Amino acid sequence: MTVATSTALLEVVDVHRRFGGVHALRGATLSIKHGGTVHALVGENGSGKSTMLKALAGQLQPDAGTIRLDGEEVEFSHPTVALRRGIVTVTQETTLAPDLSIAENIFMGHRMERGRLGIRWGATSRRAGEVLDRLHLELDPNQIVRRLRPDQQQMVEIARAISMDARVLILDEATSSLTDDEVESLFAIVRRLRDDGVATVFVSHRLSETFALADEVTILRDGSTVEAGPLEDYDRTSLLGAMVGREHEEPPVRPEFRSSESALLSLRGVSVPGAVQEIDLDVEPGEIVGLAGLVGAGRSELLGAVFGLYPDRSGEIRLAGESIRVRSPRDAVDHGIGFVPADRKGQGLVLTMSVRENLIMAASCNRPRMLRPSASAELPVVDHALATMRIRTASPNAAIGTLSGGNQQKVALGKWLAAESKVLLLDEPTRGVDVGAKTEIYRLLGDAADSGIGILVSSSEVPELLAICDRIVVMFRGRVMATLGREEATEAAITRYGTGHE
Amino acid sequence: MSSIENTPDTSTDTAAASAPARRRAIAWDGFARYGAVLILLIVLFIVLSLTQPRFFTKANIENLLTGVSILWVVSLGMTFVVLTGGIDLSVGATLALTGIFLSKMVNLGIPGGVVFVMCILFGALVGGLLNGVLIGRIGLSFFVVTLGTMVGLGGVVSLWSNTRTTYVDSSFINAIGINRLLGIPVPIWIMVASLLVALYVQRSTYFGRDVYAVGGNGDAARLSGIRVSRTLVAVYAIVGGCAALAGAIQVGRIGAASPEVGGDLALNAAAAVLLGGTSFLGGVGGVSGTAVGVLFIGTLQNGLGIAGVSSFWQQVVTGVILIAAVLIDRIRQSGAFRGRSRVLTTEQPSAAGA
Ligand SMILES: Nc1ncnc2c1ncn2[C@@H]1O[C@H](COP(=O)(O)OP(=O)(O)OP(=O)(O)O)[C@@H](O)[C@H]1O
Ligand SMILES: [Mg+2]
């Protein structure tokens, strides 16, 4: 590594940015001394991490402050300017063209090999192969991106990044929809890039990932940098403390659940061809039941089946002892079932609408459609949800897209609480949510259960299930492998059953 | 009314908008998206009034408005379709078809008022049952379906009318086209009434919200219990009904039902909707913008006509302005006009980096 020690590789100094009334960045600073490091950027939801990284990538312009690359002041007026200087961003939403091949995506546009007769596909694909080799990825460059798993798509994004000779790789929650194994393989690549001298800026709300990968850390709070330094100076508690500016409270431990021997939701022989087979399951009022298992175990499909997403579902769904007909989401909603899908932006929220309209959407879905929405009936419900869930928004009429990830997630959950659902189905309820907001969501779920709601929650984070569930159902290849009570449920047991061992 | 003050949050920018601020935010929805065109319209109006003595006269303004009344009514309906992320190419054919329907009914001796109502129901049925069911219930692409019904209904129009223009002798229908009420032509009254109804439906009903939700994110709307296919059937029925109303005005104005009308209506309506700031991706925009868009097109064509510019040049200029308007919108969205408050219900969140 031949990097000058006097000037830092990349410096963001005292950057400010406002969005209307929201002061997203007020004096944020980030300094990456040299390449070959992984720099964690941590902070609560809405603390300004993405905003700062977007400024770094030229996706938005700061109102004030400077960005220096190799000691030279730069102005990234456009994403391509930043790209040309070797700053590449990968986020959880891929920006790949799904119907093109891996090679086409890597060398998108003008960067393909050209000959006299147009693009030389052979050479392009060979070069793509070299990039993939460098990452030790065993993928065929001619494969269509749509057919890849999410983590593989993420890898292709990274391959594209390094094919552009990235010097700074920005990973903004790139791991949030990946499974543990996928995260591991992504980390392996980041470490390899680090050894090649690439600097990585890493954002994740899973602290374990941050501690596993990063060397240095910068802590943002309310839009300004509060601390920075080597990560080894911190442990979980001190890092959390610095993020929130006060003592971090761990989620309350749920008191022992006392079974009432009466099921609220019962599934009998529920099957969806190709996804889940013959599921029997009960959720009592006030109980939180977890669904554990690998990706592909059929957890999401089971939730979807209960919510009426699959017309070819068979088996029986009973609510408070009575068999109910659920052929569409609307049927489910009419029976008081709520569903928070894993894909918040794609399925959970209407991003073009306001916080208020999203919050009230499910609660008002059975009002006569030609009726006038009554503000006096709606606002108290909305205000109540905003207050009890501590949703941070400039106004109830703000576009939901302007909220930070964690706050959006609270709205996605809040709309079912506003609709007074009796049963909640949650798929990855804390994806992309910061530690503090996770605690709050756990608290909200606990309160909801205490009020008599039955909750069925699927999560790929086992510690999360262990923290909030009264009972955990472990699935493997579409079947229930085991049902574990509080005492039996351990990480080891869940992993064992989740991988198909008896 | 507000329990927000008790929020146990330390943050200062937590939900704390006062009630009047909320009301204002709702009342101004979408204005930012057609404000530029509105200003352009006002400037154009003033320039024409100052330079063309024949422009700002009662007769010409009436002429201008009645001239765009058909486009107006259809574009209002079209707005709902575009808000759901679709488009209806068959409105011209529906207009011609309902005109023929109307003439046949009148010639059967049915009273004009009854025929008028039947005509609108017929248009809504055609739109809802053909386009609406195929798109909303069966899930076919709106482009394919409405292109198909455009061509197909065009054929039906020719067959049913024998490609002949039929005179319509009904005092009621003729009144719709040319009579005056309190000194103002009936088509202008219809324009005012239809805008008010459309505004009400869009802003003040759950259905209006459904339209935005379906266009903004159909999946999320469905998963929230909204009946998406019913909403889609309804919007295509609405635009069908609007085309029929426009058809009645058309017949009333020329006193006859012609199979030749409505040729470029769908595209002109789409242009007006686009000019009015409604996004073709759905979920963003509204009918007030469309009204401005129609007035802009009408004023431009009327003004250029008075100034002696040939109608071919009028078309060229309209096209250029259409593209320019979209360009302005694009520039504004990419951040050149930053700092504006984004508490607008229908404002699209900025897609940074797109
Ligand atoms: N386009 C925008 N318009 C208005 N406000 C915005 C916009 N983008 C971000 N904000 C606001 O700026 C603040 C910082 O947001 P940012 O997305 O940077 O947070 P973050 O730290 O990345 O949060 P998360 O961990 O949830 O991703 C938030 O309060 C957010 O609501
Ligand atoms: Mg973020």
Side-chain angles (χ1 to χ4, degrees):
Chain A
M1 245 176 288
T2 55
V3 181
T5 43
S6 54
T7 56
L9 168 66
L10 181 70
E11 274 183 311
V12 178
V13 187
D14 200 22
V15 164
H16 289 254
R17 178 67 154 99
R18 273 176 180 282
F19 295 102
V22 181
H23 212 149
L25 290 180
R26 36 186 135 194
T29 298
L30 172 73
S31 168
I32 300 176
K33 307 241 168 30
H34 45 74
T37 52
V38 178
H39 200 108
L41 185 60
V42 301
E44 291 181 275
N45 287 127
S47 56
K49 301 180 297 294
S50 297
T51 308
M52 183 204 260
L53 297 177
K54 279 179 190 162
L56 250 184
Q59 290 166 4
L60 56 78
Q61 281 68 48
D63 299 330
T66 45
I67 299 175
R68 277 190 224 114
L69 195 59
D70 298 323
E72 170 205 349
E73 196 171 320
V74 287
E75 205 160 304
F76 294 144
S77 51
H78 195 268
T80 49
V81 184
L83 273 182
R84 223 171 281 141
R85 299 295 297 261
I87 299 179
V88 187
T89 307
V90 177
T91 63
Q92 78 200 77
E93 291 126 52
T94 68
T95 54
L96 301 173
D99 292 310
L100 298 184
S101 71
I102 294 179
E104 284 168 298
N105 267 291
I106 292 180
F107 298 113
M108 189 84 78
H110 60 282
R111 293 170 58 251
M112 299 204 217
E113 289 288 331
R114 266 155 212 271
R116 291 245 303 276
L117 299 171
I119 294 170
R120 289 164 49 204
W121 292 108
T124 301
S125 129
R126 215 170 313 119
R127 256 191 17 188
E130 285 163 19
V131 175
L132 295 174
D133 280 347
R134 207 178 134 196
L135 296 173
H136 301 256
L137 289 176
E138 285 172 19
L139 292 174
D140 174 5
N142 297 316
Q143 201 172 356
I144 300 298
V145 160
R146 192 186 287 285
R147 306 228 178 89
L148 300 176
R149 294 194 312 263
D151 64 311
Q152 291 174 322
Q153 298 192 4
Q154 211 84 283
M155 303 296 180
V156 173
E157 290 242 8
I158 293 180
R160 177 163 76 189
I162 64 163
S163 80
M164 292 189 257
D165 298 320
R167 302 178 61 206
V168 179
L169 175 65
I170 295 173
L171 299 177
D172 190 357
E173 297 193 35
T175 54
S176 67
S177 46
L178 304 186
T179 62
D180 290 350
D181 290 347
E182 294 166 353
V183 169
E184 258 324 303
S185 52
L186 179 79
F187 280 9
I189 287 173
V190 172
R191 293 198 182 100
R192 220 166 286 138
L193 290 173
R194 175 180 63 191
D195 298 340
D196 289 349
V198 174
T200 303
V201 183
F202 180 74
V203 176
S204 166
H205 285 297
R206 296 183 193 147
L207 282 189
S208 54
E209 290 179 3
T210 303
F211 278 108
L213 187 67
D215 311 308
E216 285 163 53
V217 65
T218 292
I219 302 164
L220 277 182
R221 191 198 308 152
D222 289 333
S224 44
T225 300
V226 288
E227 286 179 31
L231 187 61
E232 56 209 30
D233 295 354
Y234 292 88
D235 62 11
R236 190 184 143 83
T237 319
S238 61
L239 194 64
L240 285 173
M243 273 163 61
V244 296
R246 60 193 133 82
E247 197 90 355
H248 165 74
E249 25 168 336
E250 291 294 337
V253 178
R254 259 179 86 66
E256 189 65 34
F257 179 74
R258 255 177 270 116
S259 169
S260 59
E261 306 291 335
S262 68
L264 178 59
L265 174 76
S266 341
L267 311 183
R268 289 292 174 268
V270 168
S271 304
V272 176
V276 292
Q277 275 100 42
E278 297 290 325
I279 304 284
D280 292 342
L281 196 153
D282 288 299
V283 182
E284 294 185 22
E287 191 183 25
I288 304 183
V289 177
L291 288 178
L294 301 174
V295 167
R299 289 179 284 135
S300 300
E301 289 81 358
L302 179 60
L303 294 180
V306 179
F307 200 62
L309 294 187
Y310 307 108
D312 52 353
R313 186 213 83 216
S314 56
E316 192 187 7
I317 299 174
R318 281 188 225 143
L319 198 65
E322 281 184 42
S323 181
I324 57 169
R325 207 185 104 93
V326 185
R327 283 286 159 233
S328 70
R330 177 51 183 270
D331 291 344
V333 176
D334 283 343
H335 283 111
I337 301 175
F339 175 50
V340 180
D343 181 3
R344 177 169 64 228
K345 290 192 170 150
Q347 304 189 308
L349 299 168
V350 181
L351 290 180
T352 48
M353 298 182 90
S354 66
V355 174
R356 165 182 167 179
E357 287 161 326
N358 272 285
L359 266 176
I360 209 76
M361 197 172 280
S364 63
C365 80
N366 53 9
R367 309 294 309 276
R369 296 337 260 169
M370 287 322 281
L371 225 64
R372 189 186 172 89
S374 135
S376 60
E378 245 173 39
L379 286 177
V381 175
V382 171
D383 287 343
H384 181 74
L386 292 178
T388 54
M389 305 192 73
R390 302 184 201 168
I391 295 169
R392 272 209 212 184
T393 170
S395 127
N397 292 314
I400 187 106
T402 63
L403 267 60
S404 74
N407 285 299
Q408 290 184 9
Q409 185 66 20
K410 288 192 211 164
V411 174
L413 179 63
K415 77 176 175 194
W416 296 111
L417 298 179
E420 300 183 338
S421 302
K422 286 178 286 193
V423 174
L424 278 179
L425 311 169
L426 312 172
D427 199 0
E428 306 288 351
T430 63
R431 182 175 281 176
V433 165
D434 74 40
V435 188
K438 260 182 202 166
T439 308
E440 283 188 37
I441 288 177
Y442 298 160
R443 174 182 61 80
L444 286 168
L445 293 180
D447 291 351
D450 291 344
S451 72
I453 295 176
I455 299 177
L456 186 57
V457 50
S458 157
S459 174
S460 42
E461 289 184 49
V462 173
E464 168 165 302
L465 293 176
L466 292 174
I468 58 173
C469 294
D470 301 311
R471 204 147 48 87
I472 295 178
V473 173
V474 189
M475 292 180 68
F476 176 71
R477 296 207 179 139
R479 292 180 187 280
V480 172
M481 281 301 286
T483 302
L484 307 172
R486 265 286 184 81
E487 311 74 43
E488 313 150 87
T490 60
E491 213 151 330
I494 290 172
T495 312
R496 193 173 78 242
Y497 289 115
T499 47
H501 299 282
E502 289 293 333
Chain B
M1 164 169 111
S2 165
S3 55
I4 286 297
E5 279 73 34
N6 310 330
T7 310
D9 198 321
T10 49
S11 154
T12 46
D13 28 72
T14 312
S18 60
R22 291 175 185 191
R23 234 167 275 134
R24 193 169 55 237
I26 293 168
W28 285 85
D29 67 337
F31 175 76
R33 298 185 55 89
Y34 61 85
V37 177
L38 180 60
I39 291 169
L40 224 59
L41 170 63
I42 293 170
V43 169
L44 180 69
F45 202 88
I46 293 174
V47 169
L48 285 172
S49 303
L50 295 179
T51 58
Q52 303 292 330
R54 284 194 298 130
F55 178 75
F56 195 61
T57 59
K58 181 162 180 282
N60 185 54
I61 298 299
E62 275 182 3
N63 203 1
L64 190 167
L65 289 175
T66 48
V68 293
S69 58
I70 288 167
L71 181 62
W72 174 285
V73 170
V74 171
S75 300
L76 290 181
M78 185 73 94
T79 310
F80 286 95
V81 173
V82 175
L83 280 175
T84 64
I87 196 167
D88 186 352
L89 298 171
S90 68
V91 285
T94 309
L95 176 131
L97 183 71
T98 50
I100 308 290
F101 173 82
L102 197 150
S103 73
K104 300 278 178 192
M105 292 302 122
V106 167
N107 292 342
L108 285 178
I110 302 173
V114 177
V115 171
F116 176 70
V117 174
M118 282 169 69
C119 172
I120 289 174
L121 290 179
F122 176 69
L125 272 181
V126 168
L129 290 184
L130 284 178
N131 296 330
V133 168
L134 289 173
I135 296 164
R137 294 247 174 242
I138 305 187
L140 299 183
S141 137
F142 64 86
F143 195 83
V144 174
V145 170
T146 61
L147 189 67
T149 48
M150 174 183 99
V151 175
L153 290 180
V156 173
V157 166
S158 302
L159 288 170
W160 205 13
S161 66
N162 283 322
T163 66
R164 274 199 299 270
T165 300
T166 328
Y167 290 95
V168 174
D169 186 20
S170 153
S171 54
F172 184 88
I173 301 296
N174 289 343
I176 287 175
I178 44 187
N179 271 26
R180 283 168 185 272
L181 203 67
L182 305 176
I184 294 173
V186 173
I188 299 181
W189 285 114
I190 293 181
M191 288 169 69
V192 172
S194 58
L195 178 63
L196 290 180
V197 171
L199 267 177
Y200 181 80
V201 171
Q202 175 197 306
R203 287 190 184 171
S204 308
T205 65
Y206 283 110
F207 171 75
R209 262 192 206 175
D210 292 351
V211 169
Y212 282 97
V214 168
N217 186 340
D219 277 344
R222 200 167 76 93
L223 294 187
S224 306
I226 290 175
R227 297 193 196 273
V228 173
S229 44
R230 198 176 281 188
T231 308
L232 287 172
V233 171
V235 295
Y236 286 94
I238 287 176
V239 74
C242 286
L245 175 58
I249 300 175
Q250 174 94 315
V251 171
R253 287 186 69 194
I254 55 179
S258 157
E260 311 271 308
V261 294
D264 48 8
L265 185 62
L267 296 183
N268 281 336
V273 172
L274 184 65
L275 207 53
T278 298
S279 162
F280 271 53
L281 299 174
V284 178
V287 290
S288 12
T290 300
V292 172
V294 172
L295 287 181
F296 187 82
I297 292 177
T299 307
L300 189 70
Q301 294 187 344
N302 176 286
L304 293 177
I306 286 180
V309 179
S310 85
S311 66
F312 302 133
W313 278 110
Q314 291 176 25
Q315 266 186 307
V316 173
V317 172
T318 311
V320 168
I321 299 236
L322 190 68
I323 293 171
V326 179
L327 206 67
I328 292 172
D329 188 50
R330 171 64 66 82
I331 293 168
R332 195 177 47 199
Q333 292 227 327
S334 73
F337 283 37
R338 272 200 287 109
R340 222 172 1 90
S341 165
R342 282 184 175 274
V343 276
L344 300 165
T345 1
T346 51
E347 188 84 336
Q348 204 167 23
S350 73

